[in-house]
C-alpha cells in the first residue's frame, strides 16, 4: 500500500470549501466610494440638489427627510415633483431589464423622465419613507398587481394605468364635465401591441371602453375643483381617434391657481393650463401651415388623488414560463 501523502494546503482548502458559499465579489471600488460619500454627505448639501442629480443613496435620504418635513401627502407630491424641475426629458425610458431582456432599458431612472415616469416616480416617492420602499411602491404603481413583466406593465393610460391604480386615484372626469360632457370610445388590442412593440406573445382579448373627458374650452371653469396631487391625462385626437397622449400632476401656484406640472420636451416644467393649451394651439397652427396631420388637443381627464388610500399588497411574482417541450 502506498503511503497517503498530505494534500497541499491550498488544494485541501479548495476541497473543503467546495460546497461553501464563495466570498462575495466586491462592487467596483469607485461605486463603493460614491455610495459611501452619498451616505455621509451633509443633509443640507443633498437638499440643495435637484432630485435628478442625486445618487440613489442621496435620493433615499431625501425621501426619508421629505416624509417627515411635509406630512401632508398632497403638498409632499408637489414638493417632490418640483424637486425635479429641469429634469431632462427622454421618451421610452424604462423597461424590465435585467428581469426581462426584451430590451436593455432599466426599471428606474433618476436622471431623466418621460411624462409617465415622472408621475410614477413622484407618487412612489411621496408614498414612501426609504429608497427600498420607493422601489417597491414604484413597481406596485407601474405593473398590474405589482407583478413585474412587460405583459403586466400598465401600457395604456385610460384602460391600464388608471384602472390598475384605482386604489391611488379615482377618475372624476365625468363629474367635472357634467351630463352633457363629451366621451370617446377606445378599443385596445394588447396582444397585438405586445407582439409588434415588444416581441412578446400574450393571450389577451381585445377590450373596448367609453371614456369621459373635459373639453379644453371648459377647463378654466372647473379648475377650481382640482386639488393638488391630482393626476392629469391630456386627451388628443387625430383622424377621429382619441387617446391620452400625455400625463402630469396638478399643483397649486402661489395664488392658488391650478398649475400643470409635467415632463415634456425638453424638461420637467410647471405652467398654467392656459399656457399649456396655448402652446398646443401654436403647435397645431404650425402643423396646419406645413400640411402636417398632427395630433390636436381635445381636452383633459382628471383623476382625484384618493384621501383614504389603502395601498394593496403585491400579488405573488409567478415563476416565468418555460418554452414548450422543455
Amino acid at each position: 500500500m502506498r503511503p497517503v501523502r498530505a494534500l497541499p494546503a491550498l488544494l485541501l482548502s479548495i476541497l473543503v470549501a467546495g460546497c461553501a458559499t464563495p466570498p462575495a465579489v466586491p462592487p467596483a471600488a469607485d461605486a463603493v466610494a460614491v455610495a459611501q460619500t452619498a451616505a455621509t454627505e451633509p443633509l443640507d448639501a443633498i437638499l440643495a440638489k435637484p432630485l435628478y442629480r442625486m445618487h440613489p443613496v442621496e435620493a433615499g435620504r431625501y425621501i426619508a427627510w421629505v416624509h417627515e418635513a411635509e406630512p401632508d401627502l398632497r403638498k409632499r407630491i408637489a414638493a417632490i415633483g418640483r424637486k425635479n424641475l429641469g429634469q431632462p426629458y427622454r421618451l421610452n425610458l424604462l423597461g424590465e431589464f435585467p428581469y426581462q431582456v426584451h430590451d436593455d432599458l432599466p426599471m428606474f431612472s433618476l436622471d431623466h423622465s418621460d411624462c409617465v415616469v415622472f408621475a410614477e416616480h413622484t407618487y412612489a416617492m411621496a408614498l414612501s419613507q426609504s429608497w427600498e420602499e420607493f422601489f417597491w411602491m414604484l413597481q406596485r404603481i407601474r405593473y398590474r398587481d405589482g407583478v413585474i413583466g412587460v405583459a403586466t406593465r400598465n401600457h395604456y393610460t385610460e384602460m391600464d394605468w388608471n384602472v390598475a391604480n384605482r386604489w391611488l386615484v379615482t377618475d372624476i372626469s365625468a363629474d367635472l364635465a357634467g351630463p352633457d360632457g363629451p366621451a370617446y370610445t377606445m378599443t385596445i388590442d394588447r396582444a397585438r401591441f405586445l407582439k409588434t412593440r415588444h416581441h412578446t406573445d400574450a393571450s389577451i382579448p381585445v377590450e373596448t371602453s367609453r371614456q369621459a373627458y373635459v373639453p379644453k374650452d371648459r377647463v378654466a371653469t372647473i379648475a377650481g375643483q382640482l386639488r393638488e396631487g391630482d393626476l392629469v391625462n391630456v386627451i388628443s385626437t387625430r383622424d377621429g381617434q382619441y387617446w391620452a397622449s400625455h400625463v402630469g400632476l396638478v399643483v397649486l401656484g402661489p395664488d392658488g391657481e391650478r398649475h400643470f406640472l409635467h415632463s415634456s420636451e425638453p424638461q420637467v416644467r410647471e405652467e398654467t393650463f392656459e399656457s399649456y393649451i396655448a402652446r398646443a394651439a401654436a403647435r397645431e397652427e404650425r402643423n396646419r401651415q406645413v400640411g402636417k396631420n398632427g395630433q390636436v388637443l381635445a381636452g383633459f381627464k382628471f383623476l382625484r388623488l384618493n384621501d383614504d388610500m389603502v395601498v394593496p399588497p403585491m400579488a405573488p411574482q409567478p415563476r416565468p414560463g418555460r418554452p414548450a417541450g422543455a
Side-chain angles (χ1 to χ4, degrees):
M1 179 180 295
R2 299 178 60 186
V4 178
R5 299 180 59 186
L7 293 171
L10 178 59
L11 178 58
L12 180 60
S13 67
I14 291 175
L15 292 175
V16 171
C19 294
T21 301
V25 177
D30 56 345
V32 172
V34 170
Q36 289 176 339
T37 299
T40 57
E41 187 174 12
L43 183 59
D44 287 347
I46 294 174
L47 298 182
K49 299 179 181 181
L51 249 172
Y52 62 90
R53 290 181 178 165
M54 290 185 190
H55 183 278
V57 173
E58 295 173 323
R61 293 178 63 191
Y62 169 74
I63 291 168
W65 173 85
V66 75
H67 191 91
E68 294 296 323
E70 182 47 81
D72 185 291
L73 175 60
R74 294 181 180 277
K75 293 180 179 178
R76 193 161 65 244
I77 289 169
I80 292 171
R82 285 175 169 137
K83 193 69 173 169
N84 259 326
L85 284 170
Q87 182 187 46
Y89 175 87
R90 182 183 295 166
L91 186 61
N92 298 326
L93 185 64
L94 299 187
E96 286 71 39
F97 188 83
Y99 180 76
Q100 289 181 338
V101 292
H102 57 90
D103 57 38
D104 60 355
L105 300 175
M107 295 178 66
F108 82 94
S109 171
L110 291 182
D111 53 0
H112 291 76
S113 67
D114 60 26
C115 63
V116 175
V117 170
F118 172 74
E120 289 177 338
H121 277 57
T122 303
Y123 278 141
M125 288 186 177
L127 292 169
S128 303
Q129 300 184 52
S130 66
W131 175 267
E132 292 79 10
E133 187 179 12
F134 153 70
F135 193 80
W136 182 94
M137 193 72 69
L138 183 62
Q139 313 319 318
R140 186 63 188 81
I141 292 171
R142 191 167 184 238
Y143 298 98
R144 189 166 57 252
D145 297 321
V147 175
I148 299 169
V150 67
T152 49
R153 194 197 309 172
N154 295 317
H155 294 283
Y156 292 92
T157 302
E158 303 98 306
M159 296 174 66
D160 285 341
W161 205 102
N162 295 350
V163 174
N165 287 299
R166 282 174 175 163
W167 59 270
L168 176 65
V169 292
T170 299
D171 192 343
I172 59 172
S173 305
D175 292 337
L176 292 175
D180 62 337
Y184 58 94
T185 298
M186 186 177 194
T187 299
I188 59 173
D189 187 342
R190 296 182 181 89
R192 182 176 181 274
F193 169 80
L194 290 168
K195 182 66 175 179
T196 57
R197 180 72 176 270
H198 295 287
H199 313 291
T200 298
D201 293 314
S203 179
I204 308 173
V206 174
E207 185 179 357
T208 298
S209 176
R210 190 77 174 157
Q211 299 288 329
Y213 70 97
V214 177
K216 60 187 177 185
D217 59 2
R218 292 178 59 181
V219 170
T221 63
I222 61 89
Q225 300 179 58
L226 303 177
R227 300 178 63 188
E228 198 157 51
D230 288 348
L231 181 70
V232 180
N233 294 175
V234 176
I235 305 304
S236 296
T237 182
R238 181 169 51 203
D239 298 331
Q241 300 296 315
Y242 290 75
W243 74 99
S245 62
H246 188 54
V247 303
L249 304 170
V250 175
V251 295
L252 300 184
D255 58 355
E257 186 178 33
R258 272 56 177 178
H259 288 186
F260 186 31
L261 181 60
H262 58 114
S263 178
S264 64
E265 187 67 40
Q267 61 190 22
V268 173
R269 71 178 76 191
E270 178 179 341
E271 61 186 321
T272 64
F273 283 93
E274 181 182 20
S275 168
Y276 183 85
I277 293 170
R279 289 196 303 107
R283 182 192 66 231
E284 292 159 14
E285 176 60 21
R286 290 193 300 270
N287 288 341
R288 186 192 67 79
Q289 291 180 1
V290 299
K292 180 180 179 181
N293 183 27
Q295 66 190 42
V296 174
L297 175 64
F300 303 84
K301 289 176 70 67
F302 295 102
L303 291 92
R304 172 61 35 84
L305 181 71
N306 295 330
D307 287 323
D308 301 320
M309 189 186 305
V310 177
V311 182
M314 292 275 203
Q317 186 77 30
R319 182 176 180 176
R322 299 181 180 183

